[in-house]
Amino acid sequence: MAQPKGTVVLAYSGGLDTSCILVWLKEQGYDVVAYLANIGQKEDFEAARKKALALGAKKVYIEDISKEFVQEFIWPAVQANALYEDRYLLGTALARPCIARKLVEIAQREGAQYVAHGATG
């Protein structure tokens, strides 16, 4: 195990990628705080919490940001007719800055030095 390097808040979904990143960060010597964003998706948040803790997260935050996601991201995009190739709303892309904003807030609250994500690519 590496020397302690500080605390990182990880945008965590409970899937394979973010679970592997959580374990890797622990192996590198970081304390990991997992953050799950509820933007309105159907998700077993309690199962994801248990998994993160079992993998070594020192704490797990699950934040319901669905209201601000709709009000501050989705609704302005609808008003602007922000469509990808004139076909569909950029829902996933719009969620990223909303999630990142809360990720940074949690990092500040926790006194974490780093933020991370485990998204493929």
Side-chain angles (χ1 to χ4, degrees):
M1 186 68 67
Q3 292 291 349
K5 295 182 179 177
T7 300
V8 59
V9 179
L10 173 65
Y12 182 76
S13 69
L16 178 62
D17 293 342
T18 58
S19 295
C20 288
I21 293 296
L22 192 158
V23 171
W24 183 83
L25 286 166
K26 291 286 299 167
E27 289 173 350
Q28 300 309 304
Y30 294 96
D31 286 327
V32 179
V33 174
Y35 160 56
L36 290 93
N38 177 355
I39 58 169
Q41 75 275 30
K42 290 187 186 277
E43 188 83 36
D44 187 345
F45 291 104
E46 197 50 42
R49 175 195 305 276
K50 288 177 184 174
K51 184 175 183 179
L53 291 170
L55 293 172
K58 74 174 193 175
K59 190 183 280 188
V60 177
Y61 284 87
I62 300 172
E63 300 273 332
D64 184 346
I65 58 173
S66 56
K67 184 176 179 180
E68 61 195 86
F69 179 50
V70 171
Q71 291 177 340
E72 299 174 33
F73 295 86
I74 296 293
W75 182 236
V78 169
Q79 290 174 311
N81 198 30
L83 301 176
Y84 178 73
E85 295 183 349
D86 293 321
R87 294 196 340 226
Y88 62 89
L89 185 63
L90 300 168
T92 301
L94 289 171
R96 299 297 187 240
C98 186
I99 293 168
R101 182 171 65 187
K102 186 60 76 172
L103 183 73
V104 170
E105 287 176 20
I106 292 169
Q108 290 171 334
R109 193 180 319 159
E110 285 291 319
Q113 297 80 14
Y114 310 100
V115 295
H117 68 83
T120 305

